[in-house]
Amino acid sequence: MKNKFKILMSTIICVLFYTTGFAQGKTISGVITDASKFPIPGVNILIKGTQKGVSTDLDGKFAISAPEGATLVISYLGFQTKEVKVSSTSTYNVSLEAENAALQEVVVVGYGTKKKKDLTGSIVSMSAEDIVSRPVQNAMQAMQGKAAGVDISSNERPGTVGSVTIRGVRSISASNSPLYVVDGIPLNSGGIDFINPNDIETIDVLKDASATAIYGSRGANGVVIVSTKKGKNGKFTLNYDTSIITETIHENAPMMNAAEYIEFRRWAKYYEPNTTGIPRGDAPTIANDKAIFQAVADPYAWANIEKGWASGTWDGSKVATTDWTKFVTRTGITQQHTVSASGGSDKMKAYGSFGYLDNTGTLKGQSYKRYNGTANIDITPTKWFSMGVNLNTSYGIQEFGQSTVGRTAVSTSGGIYTTARQNLSYAVPYDNNGNRIINPGGDSTIRTVIDEDKLSQDQRVTLRAFGSLNAQFDLGAMSSALDGLKYRINFGPDITTYRDGVFLDAQSAVRQGTSFASLAKEQTLSYTLDNLLFYNKTIGKHNFGVTLLASQTEYQNEGSAMSANDVKNVANKWNALTPANVTLASYSSNLTEKGLLSYMGRVNYGYDDKYLLTASYRRDGASQLAPGNKWANFPSASVAWRLDKESFLQNSSWINLLKLRAGYGVTGNAAVDAYATQPPLAGIVYPSGSGLVNNASLGNVQLGWEQTEQFNYGIDFSLFNSRVSGALEYYTSNTTDLLLLRSIPTITGFRTTYENVGETAGNGVELTLNTVNVRTKDFEWSSSLSASWQQNHIVALQNGKFDDINNGLFIGQPKSAVYGYASNGIWKPEDAAEMAKFNALSANLFSFGNARPVDQNGDYKIDANNDRVIIGNADPKYIAGLTNTFNYKNFELSFFIYGRFGYLYNTGGENASAKPSQRKIDYYTENHTNSEYQKPIFSAGSGDQFYPTLGYRDGSFLKLRNVSLGYNFTDELASQIGLSKLRIYIQATNPAMLFSKVSWTDLDTQTTASNRGVTMGLNVQF
């Protein structure tokens, strides 16, 4: 029955086409297959020079009416296009050869596209499949470890994106963030976290200056180009993608239990300076414990400790331990749903989607909801005119959690989880009546974390509407004299509204006695208008391409803020900050406007598909720079040589592509605050006996461009029928005239000013390697490696080749250099003679159990001028990501490993003051002198001034980030339930740390606790 239906449908199509199309032709038919003789459905068969065509049915069959002598153009994605000339024969069975997808892949290069094989600059790409291969909140998370040379930090707070740098850090004071371009329009603010990852077709990262210079001043830190999904020619499809993630917190640094901490504090009180009558930590008395643990201040905590003395002899196992983190944590659940529809014809193509993300964080009070709507329409009403409209809207609600503003001096600053970990383990949360104990343990500086998520709220709401509108005129279609000439206009409006409301109850752990509320609102309006002229021509073996651009960008940000203390009606939160309700503590408003004018020309030339040249020249003018210095020029050029096209390699059976590349370019950076060249409006407060100075920066009326010059050398390869492919890059960069925020003498009435001084340099190696390790009929194992090595250093500063110690900047070192006292371990009794020499010059500087810094100059003094050194730097030298994928029939198993190596992580050391709670550490006592950390010293601040020396660690790690198992239902099975495609999968996120030298911290997130979870997902196409 099914076969009869297919034959009937094929016949109907043939008859309809015959009666409406080529009535004067004859009907020809055939079957289109692949190299294995399997039929290919959906192949396009077009009569060359016309718009007449058909597609093959499910059995690869087609029928079309065409006159003798006509040429059939047979094309299908992933296969080489083939042309067949119609003769007297009526049947044509054609076998298509698979094309080398890696070579034919189209890459967005900025104001245009190129096939990957024709690239001359350094560009790395990610497809839609790569982006959604693991569930993520935003596309940048998906790129982590999968794009060589791109360093993306991790941030697990819902709705928050980690930092992104491309090829290291070049600027010291100006921004190092890349430029984001969405559907051809550069974003004037923010990143791409507002875009639903399921709506992204490709991401192309332009890394070297020869590629980024086309964006001039905006491409100094690399360019991330996002192309959203568009409708495709063919039948309309409906897709539904969903996933649910459950996560829990995995703690790497457990806290001391009550008994451990009680002993820890006893030792700390014993070692406290200027105290008498305190016994050793291993010889406690109940009388001393009452004083040490403030029995009067919190009788409930003391009652718990007193259980240990019930027998008359101390037994710490009888004391109950309170795990305060359980009051602020929960199982995090993230669900995402995306419904999309796409399709089209030769005249119109459309794509639309609606997405919903709901991320409930593993910490109470933290969550993120995002609603996305996308509509893309492309219309081609005539052969000489086309237009497109792309609209991407996003509405996000982020519950940030415990606020970072409005805190009192006694409060903690590490968030709700850190606050919980600082609550004392021997204290109890409630009194006998079930009421919260505000200061558990009796310490006025340590407040309970119970119900903190109800007492502290920081709600951030963002509405963003971004559009990309374009119209293109094919002038060559109007007149043959203008063949190859096209004009295009792009217009990109971008509107963002932002509101941040903060409320801290008087009982919040970060307040003391009074409530606090603040409200901040911002509105950002910007647009980019591009006028583009394209000319492409092929003459024999010569291919020419010219692109001309005139661009205008305007940006306006308007904001206001207010705050108040002692909000009487807590239900109002930040919504009633009026004179009738509160007295405002602060209020402000601001307006920022800036613009950019740009002109650009680019030339592409290729000869015989062997020798490729790209050259561009861009001129930018930035309003925020000083008159006379607003304009700068940014040239670039790159060349490539396709060795595989040369006669000596053309017949090689194992080389598919071998291309050498070299490029040079100059980019600029004007990413400083608007009005940085103007004197501030605030009045100048000259230094006086009270030491008052103005907080504002001094304007610099000569401020100009920061410029980066970069060379790039690369080799692209595809070998053994593309079983091995990738790219190897080497680059050098040099940045001059740094936009440096430097300190100036306060006698001027100011503290800082921006100047064009200083120079940085860097170089690096990047490797992208894709391999098909095993391929059989039913099984395939493939691997994808992205790895990079990079280093950056400061060449000169405002005073030439002299260090700026006050600002932590050093010649020959990266911006992230760690400067301090090096560690020589712990002072032990066997070091008595050596320690006495230090104490002879600085009385009571050290005692046994103190941290021991290195005396660099050997003068038996420890001073900041002579004994601090460069200990390392916080930027990784090596970054790598490896994905292994195994396919067996319809099953797919993959795992992703990510690592960063060759950098210093500063854990901060252990204060060991025994005021707040303490994680389990190996600390010094008279009974244990061979310890990792110093002895505890009870103190409101820091008992041991050199304890940070013990915190510097090798930050290298290798992490199993994701394991995924999926099943793709066959088309036949999916069709039986009314679907075109169906895939289900399950994934484990962050299942294991494979290697780390800091066991108590997840070096990926750089926190002691990180999330682990399981994902279940479904992809459906109707």
Side-chain angles (χ1 to χ4, degrees):
M1 185 67 183
K2 186 181 292 186
N3 291 333
K4 290 181 179 179
F5 177 77
K6 293 177 180 177
I7 295 172
L8 177 62
M9 292 303 297
S10 298
T11 304
I12 292 173
I13 292 172
C14 292
V15 171
L16 288 175
F17 187 80
Y18 178 82
T19 57
T20 58
F22 270 52
Q24 74 279 18
K26 65 178 182 178
T27 300
I28 60 175
S29 61
V31 178
I32 309 299
T33 63
D34 60 16
S36 301
K37 302 304 179 184
F38 287 103
I40 309 175
V43 177
N44 294 318
I45 297 98
L46 183 71
I47 299 176
K48 193 173 185 178
T50 74
Q51 294 186 0
K52 306 294 183 181
V54 295
S55 298
T56 58
D57 63 14
L58 293 176
D59 296 321
K61 296 179 181 178
F62 75 95
I64 189 169
S65 179
E68 191 170 330
T71 299
L72 302 180
V73 180
I74 304 171
S75 62
Y76 188 68
L77 184 65
F79 291 84
Q80 296 180 14
T81 299
K82 183 171 287 188
E83 294 186 358
V84 176
K85 192 166 187 178
V86 177
S87 61
S88 57
T89 305
S90 298
T91 302
Y92 295 86
N93 296 324
V94 181
S95 177
L96 296 182
E97 296 181 7
E99 67 181 7
N100 191 323
L103 304 185
Q104 301 300 323
E105 180 183 346
V106 175
V107 176
V108 180
V109 295
Y111 307 110
T113 60
K114 278 186 179 183
K115 288 186 177 180
K116 201 167 185 179
K117 64 184 180 63
D118 297 328
L119 291 177
T120 57
S122 178
I123 299 176
V124 63
S125 302
M126 288 188 65
S127 66
E129 291 76 15
D130 295 327
I131 296 167
V132 298
S133 62
R134 56 191 179 99
V136 291
Q137 292 184 32
N138 58 78
M140 300 314 296
Q141 291 177 331
M143 289 183 63
Q144 192 178 46
K146 294 190 175 183
V150 182
D151 187 17
I152 304 173
S153 65
S154 296
N155 192 319
E156 293 187 328
R157 184 187 294 269
T160 304
V161 183
S163 63
V164 181
T165 58
I166 298 176
R167 290 189 166 179
V169 174
R170 285 168 288 276
S171 184
I172 293 178
S173 299
S175 172
N176 284 285
S177 297
L179 169 68
Y180 297 96
V181 178
V182 178
D183 291 330
I185 303 298
L187 300 184
N188 293 310
S189 62
I192 59 174
D193 50 299
F194 71 98
I195 300 176
N196 184 347
N198 288 290
D199 289 333
I200 297 177
E201 185 70 31
T202 60
I203 297 179
D204 299 288
V205 182
L206 281 57
K207 298 186 293 185
D208 74 319
S210 70
T212 63
I214 193 171
Y215 289 103
S217 63
R218 311 178 76 177
N221 300 316
V223 181
V224 178
I225 302 179
V226 175
S227 300
T228 60
K229 290 180 179 178
K230 308 292 191 296
K232 295 181 174 60
N233 195 359
K235 74 170 186 176
F236 278 82
T237 60
L238 178 65
N239 296 273
Y240 173 61
D241 298 305
T242 183
S243 65
I244 297 178
I245 306 172
T246 59
E247 294 179 301
T248 56
I249 281 188
H250 174 74
E251 179 57 68
N252 296 283
M255 304 298 289
M256 290 181 178
N257 63 31
E260 292 168 333
Y261 181 77
I262 288 170
E263 182 178 354
F264 178 76
R265 179 177 277 195
R266 287 168 179 161
W267 279 111
K269 291 294 291 184
Y270 171 69
Y271 290 126
E272 183 182 11
N274 304 317
T275 58
T276 59
I278 302 295
R280 286 165 50 112
D282 56 358
T285 66
I286 190 170
N288 278 292
D289 275 1
K290 285 183 177 181
I292 292 172
F293 297 102
Q294 305 182 68
V296 175
D298 185 357
Y300 298 99
W302 171 247
N304 187 33
I305 295 175
E306 203 169 24
K307 295 175 184 176
W309 289 104
S311 64
T313 303
W314 174 250
D315 182 359
S317 66
K318 302 299 183 181
V319 182
T321 298
T322 300
D323 179 7
W324 293 91
T325 63
K326 73 179 183 181
F327 297 105
V328 301
T329 58
R330 62 190 172 191
T331 298
I333 299 177
T334 301
Q335 55 176 314
Q336 74 83 20
H337 308 273
T338 301
V339 178
S340 62
S342 67
S345 62
D346 293 335
K347 296 292 186 180
M348 185 175 74
K349 302 177 183 66
Y351 173 87
S353 79
F354 175 78
Y356 172 65
L357 172 73
D358 184 358
N359 178 198
T360 301
T362 53
L363 296 180
K364 291 182 179 180
Q366 295 185 10
S367 65
Y368 179 60
K369 290 184 179 181
R370 186 184 65 212
Y371 303 84
N372 286 94
T374 301
N376 297 333
I377 301 175
D378 294 290
I379 304 173
T380 309
T382 70
K383 63 180 181 180
W384 53 267
F385 176 77
S386 64
M387 65 180 296
V389 178
N390 307 323
L391 179 63
N392 201 307
T393 58
S394 172
Y395 179 72
I397 305 172
Q398 182 190 23
E399 294 291 352
F400 187 84
Q402 193 181 70
S403 178
T404 57
V405 298
R407 297 169 178 266
T408 58
V410 298
S411 64
T412 60
S413 59
I416 193 171
Y417 191 75
T418 302
T419 302
R421 282 171 61 86
Q422 290 182 339
N423 275 196
L424 299 168
S425 57
Y426 63 82
V428 295
Y430 303 103
D431 62 19
N432 292 338
N433 297 318
N435 300 314
R436 295 185 322 143
I437 299 174
I438 302 302
N439 298 110
D443 192 323
S444 62
T445 65
I446 301 176
R447 296 172 68 84
T448 182
V449 77
I450 301 294
D451 294 334
E452 179 64 18
D453 57 304
K454 300 180 180 67
L455 302 172
S456 172
Q457 185 178 15
D458 186 341
Q459 186 186 78
R460 307 174 182 191
V461 179
T462 304
L463 173 64
R464 187 163 188 174
F466 173 82
S468 172
L469 297 83
N470 64 81
Q472 183 166 293
F473 297 85
D474 188 344
L475 304 178
M478 298 180 181
S479 170
S480 58
L482 301 176
D483 183 43
L485 186 63
K486 296 179 181 179
Y487 167 72
R488 181 182 179 94
I489 183 171
N490 294 333
F491 178 64
D494 192 356
I495 303 172
T496 302
T497 62
Y498 172 79
R499 188 266 285 160
D500 184 8
V502 173
F503 179 74
L504 300 176
D505 190 277
Q507 298 299 316
S508 168
V510 294
R511 293 290 292 179
Q512 191 164 9
T514 61
S515 57
F516 171 86
S518 69
L519 177 65
K521 289 188 175 183
E522 289 186 17
Q523 176 178 277
T524 302
L525 304 174
S526 65
Y527 74 83
T528 297
L529 178 64
D530 293 337
N531 287 277
L532 289 151
L533 203 60
F534 303 98
Y535 180 72
N536 294 282
K537 195 72 174 177
T538 299
I539 303 175
K541 295 183 178 182
H542 302 273
N543 293 306
F544 301 91
V546 177
T547 303
L548 301 177
L549 165 75
S551 179
Q552 175 182 343
T553 295
E554 296 291 339
Y555 171 90
Q556 181 190 83
N557 175 272
E558 186 175 352
S560 61
M562 63 183 76
S563 67
N565 293 306
D566 197 18
V567 178
K568 301 299 183 184
N569 188 349
V570 297
N572 288 336
K573 296 183 179 179
W574 52 81
N575 295 310
L577 301 182
T578 63
N581 296 315
V582 296
T583 300
L584 292 181
S586 66
Y587 52 88
S588 64
S589 64
N590 63 78
L591 175 65
T592 300
E593 295 180 316
K594 57 184 178 180
L596 182 73
L597 287 177
S598 305
Y599 304 94
M600 184 275 295
R602 177 176 63 193
V603 176
N604 295 314
Y605 171 72
Y607 175 74
D608 198 21
D609 207 23
K610 296 181 187 177
Y611 314 112
L612 307 169
L613 167 69
T614 300
S616 68
Y617 190 86
R618 177 158 172 152
R619 181 169 173 80
D620 279 354
S623 66
Q624 65 264 41
L625 299 179
N629 294 304
K630 294 182 182 293
W631 290 89
N633 304 316
F634 306 102
S636 76
S638 57
V639 295
W641 177 21
R642 288 280 303 275
L643 278 78
D644 58 290
K645 291 292 184 178
E646 296 290 354
S647 58
F648 55 85
L649 288 179
Q650 197 165 19
N651 295 324
S652 174
S653 60
W654 60 279
I655 297 178
N656 306 105
L657 170 72
L658 188 61
K659 179 174 63 177
L660 299 180
R661 293 182 282 105
Y664 165 81
V666 177
T667 56
N669 195 340
V672 295
D673 294 336
Y675 319 118
T677 64
Q678 303 299 315
L681 295 177
I684 298 176
V685 182
Y686 288 97
S688 66
S690 62
L692 295 176
V693 294
N694 188 11
N695 288 326
S697 291
L698 175 66
N700 183 348
V701 295
Q702 296 181 332
L703 196 65
W705 289 89
E706 177 179 293
Q707 296 198 13
T708 297
E709 181 182 61
Q710 190 175 106
F711 290 89
N712 191 87
Y713 311 93
I715 177 170
D716 299 331
F717 54 89
S718 180
L719 312 172
F720 308 111
N721 197 24
S722 296
R723 293 282 292 268
V724 178
S725 62
L728 180 64
E729 313 261 358
Y730 173 74
Y731 68 89
T732 63
S733 65
N734 192 67
T735 303
T736 56
D737 295 329
L738 295 175
L739 290 167
L740 185 64
L741 184 64
R742 57 163 297 191
S743 300
I744 57 176
T746 55
I747 192 66
T748 62
F750 302 92
R751 290 179 175 174
T752 59
T753 187
Y754 276 105
E755 288 188 6
N756 289 115
V757 292
E759 179 181 350
T760 63
N763 62 322
V765 177
E766 298 164 355
L767 173 66
T768 299
L769 182 64
N770 303 300
T771 62
V772 179
N773 307 309
V774 177
R775 177 182 287 164
T776 65
K777 179 182 177 182
D778 295 325
F779 177 76
E780 181 175 293
W781 168 30
S782 60
S783 301
S784 178
L785 172 68
S786 295
S788 62
W789 169 84
Q790 61 185 20
Q791 63 177 8
N792 297 276
H793 64 276
I794 298 171
V795 177
L797 292 167
Q798 62 265 29
N799 296 318
K801 294 186 179 297
F802 292 93
D803 296 336
D804 181 357
I805 296 177
N806 290 335
N807 292 304
L809 303 174
F810 303 91
I811 303 302
Q813 297 292 331
K815 175 186 174 182
S816 65
V818 179
Y819 182 67
Y821 296 107
S823 174
N824 200 13
I826 305 291
W827 287 107
K828 302 176 184 179
E830 54 264 36
D831 303 317
E834 188 72 5
M835 189 175 72
K837 296 177 182 178
F838 285 90
N839 290 336
L841 298 175
S842 303
N844 300 319
L845 178 64
F846 295 118
S847 62
F848 299 136
N850 283 154
R852 180 180 179 179
V854 174
D855 178 20
Q856 299 291 341
N857 62 353
D859 63 354
Y860 290 97
K861 295 180 181 180
I862 302 297
D863 62 88
N865 293 329
N866 296 309
D867 294 316
R868 288 185 298 171
V869 294
I870 302 295
I871 299 171
N873 77 86
D875 290 333
K877 285 189 176 181
Y878 305 93
I879 303 170
L882 173 65
T883 301
N884 277 281
T885 304
F886 305 88
N887 290 281
Y888 176 71
K889 293 186 177 180
N890 294 332
F891 288 95
E892 180 182 275
L893 173 67
S894 69
F895 61 87
F896 172 53
I897 298 174
Y898 172 68
R900 305 169 96 211
F901 309 91
Y903 71 103
L904 186 73
Y905 176 61
N906 185 4
T907 68
E910 293 295 328
N911 192 353
S913 67
K915 281 276 284 182
S917 194
Q918 173 67 49
R919 78 172 179 91
K920 292 184 179 181
I921 59 172
D922 177 29
Y923 62 94
Y924 178 99
T925 69
E926 266 87 341
N927 300 327
H928 179 53
T929 60
N930 189 25
S931 63
E932 183 179 7
Y933 289 101
Q934 79 279 7
K935 64 186 178 185
I937 302 175
F938 190 82
S939 171
S942 170
D944 188 334
Q945 62 175 312
F946 297 110
Y947 79 89
T949 63
L950 302 173
Y952 304 121
R953 308 284 168 148
D954 181 353
S956 301
F957 72 90
L958 187 65
K959 186 177 189 180
L960 181 59
R961 178 68 66 77
N962 181 267
V963 178
S964 175
L965 176 64
Y967 181 80
N968 298 287
F969 286 77
T970 63
D971 293 342
E972 291 79 10
L973 185 58
S975 64
Q976 291 179 10
I977 55 177
L979 304 175
S980 297
K981 292 182 180 179
L982 176 62
R983 180 177 185 266
I984 59 174
Y985 61 89
I986 184 170
Q987 299 186 355
T989 55
N990 300 319
M993 182 67 75
L994 303 178
F995 166 78
S996 173
K997 290 190 175 181
V998 185
S999 61
W1000 66 91
T1001 295
D1002 185 328
L1003 290 167
D1004 182 18
T1005 60
Q1006 297 194 346
T1007 56
T1008 64
S1010 57
N1011 295 337
R1012 290 182 177 177
V1014 176
T1015 303
M1016 293 179 289
L1018 181 69
N1019 307 126
V1020 179
Q1021 184 178 100
F1022 296 91

